[in-house]
Amino acid sequence: MRNSSPRDKSETHGNGPRKAGSAGSAEFAPADPPLSFPRWAEALAASSLPLRERQSYAITLRWYLSFCKRSGLRVNKASARGFLDQAIRKHGKDEFKVESWRNALRWFFRTAPKPTTKTPSKSAVSDMNAATHGDCSSEAPIGAGADWQQLLVRSVRIRQFSYQTEKTYLGWMRRFAVHLGGDPRQAEANDLRSFLDHLALRGRVAASTQRQALNALVFWHRDVLGREPGDFSDYLRAAPSARIPVVLSRRELELLFDALPDNRRLPARLQYGSGLRASELLRLRVKDLDFDQGHVVVRGGKGDKDRATPLPQALRPALERHLEEVQDLYERDRAEGRAGVWMPPGLGRKYPGAAREWGWFWVFPSRQIGPDPRSGICRRHHTLPRVYQRDVAAAARQAGLAKRVTPHALRHSFATHLLEAGVSLRTVQDLLGHTSIETTRIYLHVMRRPDGELTSPLDL
C-alpha cells in the first residue's frame, strides 16, 4: 500500500499505549453487490408466512433499511451483518430476538431480485474507449454509493493512491459507519476511540490491522473533511505481536517449484530469486527486466519507492522464452484494437501512447480481458494476486509441505538465504526495500548460524 505523510503521522497519534490481549488477524468478507427491492413490503404481505411473522419481519426490515440510509451504506449482505452486530450490541443478545432479526434478513435477501451487472456507459469513458472496448460488462466503479463514500474516493484518487489503498480505506470507513450507526461526517473523537477500542477488544485484531484502521480514520478527517479528528490518543492499542517468518529450505523450495503448474513456476522462481513482494512481481513491466545490467527494477514499491534487485542469471533463458510468448499476446491485443495496459495517472496523461507500447506491457499478463475497476475500460490486466496466492498454496499442499506457505514465504527465504551466505544485513535491507533495519533484523532469528546449527542440550 502506498504511504503518505498523513498516514505516517497517524501511526504515532497519541501519548502512550494501553495494551489489549493477544492479537489475531482480521479479514473482511468481500463486498456484495447492492440490492434493489423497493416493493419488499408488498412481497412480504403476499407471502405465506404467518401474520405475526410478517409483522415482525416488517419492523426489522424497516429498521435495517433506515440504518442503511442513516449510515450511507448500500443494501447488501455486508451492511446486514453490520446491522446485526450493532443491534446485538445495543439491544442485547436475547436469542429469540436475534433469531427473529436473522430470519427477517434471510427472507429479504432470498426474496429480493438478484442484482445484475451493468455495462459501462459511454459517458463513463471517452468515446474512443467506449468504441474500442465494446460490451465488456462490469459493476459501477467504487464511489458510486453514498455521498460520503464519493468524497472519500475522490480524495484518494486526487492524491493518486493505489487502487488497493482505495479499497482498504473505503472498507474501513464502511465498517466505521456501521459501528457508528450513522454518517461518518458527524463522528467525533469519542467515536473514533470507541471504534479502535472495539477492534482491539472484541475484534482482537493485530496491531498492524488496527494501525491500518487508524490511518483510514485520520485520512478521512484531515484530508477529506479538512479538520483535525480531535484527541483520541488514549484509545486501547492492540497488543503487538512478533511473528517468526516462514522460511523454506532449498529442498522445500525445489519441491514447491516442481509442484507448481507451468504458468506459475517461473514467476515463483523469480520472486524468490529477486526477493519481490507478490504485488511487485505481478506488476512488473517488460522494461523493468534489465538483462544487460542484471537487475530487476521495482517501481512504486511499498512507500512508493523504487529500487533495484538482482535478476537471477539462471532464469534468463526461461524469461526470454516467456517474453516471446507474451509478445504474441501483446501483438494480438494491438491487432484487435484493445486498450493499452493500465498506467499511473500522471504518466498516462504525459505519455498517452505509452499504454500501448511493448515496454509497458505486463511481464505476467492475465489471459483474460476484464474491466478496469475504476474507469470501466476493458483491458488486459496482470495476473491477479489472489489467483497466484491460491496456486502457490495448492502447490505447497501437493508437495507435502507442512508449513503455511504463501508467496511471501519466497521473499522471506530470499532474505534468509542471503544472510546465511554472508551478505550484510544492510545490503539485504536495501534489496528488500525496508525502511528500517529492524524489520530486516527478524531474519537473523531464523537463519542457520555460520558456525553450524544450534544444538539442544539433550543432544550433547
Side-chain angles (χ1 to χ4, degrees):
M1 182 187 300
R2 178 173 177 171
N3 292 336
S4 66
S5 55
R7 294 164 59 195
D8 293 338
K9 293 176 186 175
S10 69
E11 291 187 5
T12 56
H13 195 292
N15 299 322
R18 289 189 289 137
K19 298 291 179 74
S22 63
S25 62
E27 294 284 346
F28 297 143
D32 302 294
L35 289 179
S36 177
F37 194 9
R39 304 184 73 173
W40 66 268
E42 294 177 30
L44 180 60
S47 72
S48 59
L49 293 169
L51 176 61
R52 290 188 65 179
E53 283 190 31
R54 295 202 303 269
Q55 291 172 338
S56 173
Y57 283 15
I59 292 171
T60 300
L61 292 174
R62 288 192 183 96
W63 182 18
Y64 163 60
L65 295 171
S66 174
F67 163 83
C68 289
K69 185 175 181 180
R70 289 195 318 271
S71 304
L73 297 173
R74 296 180 178 185
V75 176
N76 58 21
K77 292 180 182 178
S79 63
R81 285 188 288 269
F83 164 75
L84 270 178
D85 287 345
Q86 188 194 78
I88 292 170
R89 189 167 64 248
K90 289 188 174 181
H91 300 281
K93 298 182 179 180
D94 182 281
E95 290 184 9
F96 178 80
K97 284 184 179 179
V98 173
E99 189 59 27
S100 174
W101 298 335
R102 285 200 180 101
N103 287 337
L105 293 168
R106 286 191 193 107
W107 176 88
F108 181 86
F109 286 102
R110 287 172 181 167
T111 311
K114 295 295 182 287
T116 57
T117 57
K118 297 180 180 180
T119 301
S121 65
K122 291 187 179 181
S123 61
V125 294
S126 67
D127 290 340
M128 177 193 68
N129 287 331
T132 302
H133 312 307
D135 60 356
C136 187
S137 299
S138 71
E139 292 181 344
I142 276 184
D147 288 344
W148 69 262
Q149 295 178 71
Q150 292 173 349
L151 287 174
L152 175 61
V153 170
R154 181 175 180 272
S155 296
V156 167
R157 293 183 182 179
I158 284 174
R159 288 159 181 79
Q160 298 186 20
F161 288 178
S162 71
Y163 180 59
Q164 184 59 45
T165 301
E166 178 180 317
K167 289 194 299 180
T168 300
Y169 278 12
L170 195 53
W172 277 118
M173 289 308 300
R174 284 171 175 164
R175 191 168 179 179
F176 177 58
V178 168
H179 177 85
L180 188 63
D183 192 320
R185 283 173 287 198
Q186 310 304 319
E188 298 178 351
N190 286 339
D191 300 313
L192 276 66
R193 182 187 302 108
S194 170
F195 179 59
L196 294 170
D197 286 353
H198 171 77
L199 292 177
L201 285 172
R202 295 195 61 185
R204 300 182 70 80
V205 302
S208 58
T209 303
Q210 190 187 43
R211 282 197 301 271
Q212 195 179 72
L214 175 63
N215 289 337
L217 293 170
V218 173
F219 177 83
W220 167 255
H221 281 82
R222 288 180 178 165
D223 295 79
V224 181
L225 301 182
R227 64 172 187 251
E228 286 298 314
D231 182 15
F232 58 101
S233 57
D234 59 341
Y235 72 88
L236 188 66
R237 266 67 167 179
S241 56
R243 305 294 183 199
I244 297 294
V246 174
V247 174
L248 302 178
S249 68
R250 287 177 171 80
R251 182 188 68 84
E252 289 171 327
L253 284 168
E254 289 308 316
L255 290 173
L256 176 67
F257 294 149
D258 289 344
L260 280 164
D262 292 343
N263 63 333
R264 298 287 178 256
R265 189 173 299 118
L266 179 60
R269 291 177 70 88
L270 180 60
Q271 185 182 4
Y272 165 68
S274 299
L276 305 173
R277 299 178 178 91
S279 59
E280 295 168 347
L281 168 80
L282 299 178
R283 292 175 189 164
L284 284 175
R285 315 280 184 149
V286 172
K287 65 182 183 60
D288 297 333
L289 301 181
D290 192 331
F291 290 102
D292 291 335
Q293 296 294 326
H295 60 233
V296 177
V297 179
V298 178
R299 302 185 190 277
K302 192 171 183 179
D304 198 28
K305 295 179 293 187
D306 295 353
R307 72 180 191 279
T309 190
L311 174 65
Q313 290 304 303
L315 294 183
R316 179 166 182 162
L319 281 169
E320 289 175 341
R321 289 193 301 272
H322 172 74
L323 290 180
E324 289 177 4
E325 296 175 5
V326 170
Q327 190 161 21
D328 291 340
L329 192 63
Y330 162 78
E331 290 174 354
R332 191 193 318 160
D333 284 357
R334 300 289 72 77
E336 294 175 359
R338 296 197 181 278
V341 295
W342 177 86
M343 295 284 291
L347 283 173
R349 287 189 296 270
K350 188 174 182 180
Y351 306 109
R356 292 176 173 80
E357 294 178 2
W358 165 239
W360 283 95
F361 202 67
W362 306 113
V363 173
F364 300 110
S366 171
R367 296 294 167 178
Q368 305 298 323
I369 301 295
D372 188 294
R374 282 178 162 173
S375 67
I377 295 173
C378 200
R379 55 163 51 109
R380 192 176 300 281
H381 302 278
H382 55 69
T383 298
L384 294 178
R386 67 173 179 271
V387 175
Y388 178 58
Q389 291 164 3
R390 178 199 65 199
D391 290 347
V392 169
R397 290 192 298 270
Q398 183 180 334
L401 301 182
K403 296 176 180 177
R404 183 178 179 273
V405 179
T406 66
H408 212 62
L410 299 174
R411 177 172 156 90
H412 292 325
S413 303
F414 164 87
T416 304
H417 294 168
L418 284 182
L419 290 171
E420 290 174 350
V423 178
S424 73
L425 191 66
R426 183 70 67 182
T427 299
V428 174
Q429 176 194 0
D430 292 340
L431 294 176
L432 293 175
H434 286 163
T435 301
S436 169
I437 200 167
E438 294 304 315
T439 308
T440 317
R441 198 179 297 278
I442 193 171
Y443 296 110
L444 296 175
H445 296 290
V446 291
M447 64 178 284
R448 293 165 61 104
R449 306 301 182 197
D451 54 350
E453 295 185 24
L454 292 175
T455 303
S456 166
L458 194 63
D459 296 326
L460 295 176

